[in-house]
């Protein structure tokens, strides 16, 4: 799944020691634009924190996984980003098409051209 929006807050990085070694997690709040904007708390883990290099007010598209776990008869849901791309990054420019091939010329219509339409 992908969500796009603006980073409105960066929460402090959290670290800990698990059975597989040290871990790092940082959460950020993404505001998704719509008639009624929604806010989503998304977590980044490990090296992805450094790769994303997020700042408040960055426009980003996050590729996410949503997962729920049960603990003591309560359910907890986490939205985890596995890729974050900033707007305007390579491949995200609005001025370029995805295929890299030049766009075909635009055809314009004028009143001089005859057509066989009945209306």
């Amino acid at each position: 799944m992908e969500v796009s929006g603006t980073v409105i807050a960066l929460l402090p990085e959290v670290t800990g020691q698990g059975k597989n070694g040290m871990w790092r997690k940082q959460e950020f709040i993404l505001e998704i634009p719509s008639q009624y904007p929604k806010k989503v708390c998304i977590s980044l883990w490990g090296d992805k924190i450094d790769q994303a290099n997020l700042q408040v007010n960055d426009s980003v598209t996050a590729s996410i996984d949503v997962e729920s776990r049960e603990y003591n008869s309560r359910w907890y849901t986490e939205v985890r980003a596995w890729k974050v791309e900033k707007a305007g990054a390579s491949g995200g420019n609005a001025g370029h098409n995805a295929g890299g091939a030049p766009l075909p010329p635009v055809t314009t219509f004028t009143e001089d051209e005859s057509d066989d339409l009945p209306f």
Side-chain angles (χ1 to χ4, degrees):
M1 246 165 86
E2 287 188 345
V3 292
S4 297
T6 303
V7 176
I8 61 170
L10 289 170
L11 303 180
E13 185 176 311
V14 178
T15 60
Q17 180 71 34
K19 64 180 178 183
N20 296 329
M22 290 291 295
W23 55 266
R24 297 170 44 206
K25 175 174 111 168
Q26 183 174 30
E27 296 176 316
F28 64 97
I29 310 302
L30 190 68
E31 185 173 67
I32 301 168
S34 68
Q35 182 178 1
Y36 302 105
K38 294 172 180 47
K39 295 174 180 72
V40 179
C41 181
I42 301 174
S43 60
L44 284 169
W45 288 81
D47 294 339
K48 303 226 184 302
I49 298 168
D50 300 324
Q51 292 169 0
N53 191 28
L54 293 177
Q55 303 292 323
V56 174
N57 294 324
D58 282 350
S59 293
V60 300
T61 297
S63 299
I64 60 169
D65 288 324
V66 180
E67 181 182 1
S68 296
R69 295 182 301 283
E70 181 191 11
Y71 180 73
N72 289 340
S73 300
R74 295 210 44 189
W75 284 89
Y76 298 89
T77 301
E78 180 178 32
V79 179
R80 184 182 291 202
W82 51 272
K83 180 172 77 171
V84 177
E85 293 181 334
K86 293 185 181 181
S90 62
N93 290 344
H96 300 287
N97 60 350
L103 296 174
V106 176
T107 303
T108 57
F109 299 99
T110 63
E111 292 182 23
D112 298 312
E113 295 178 14
S114 63
D115 61 357
D116 297 321
L117 298 176
F119 48 93

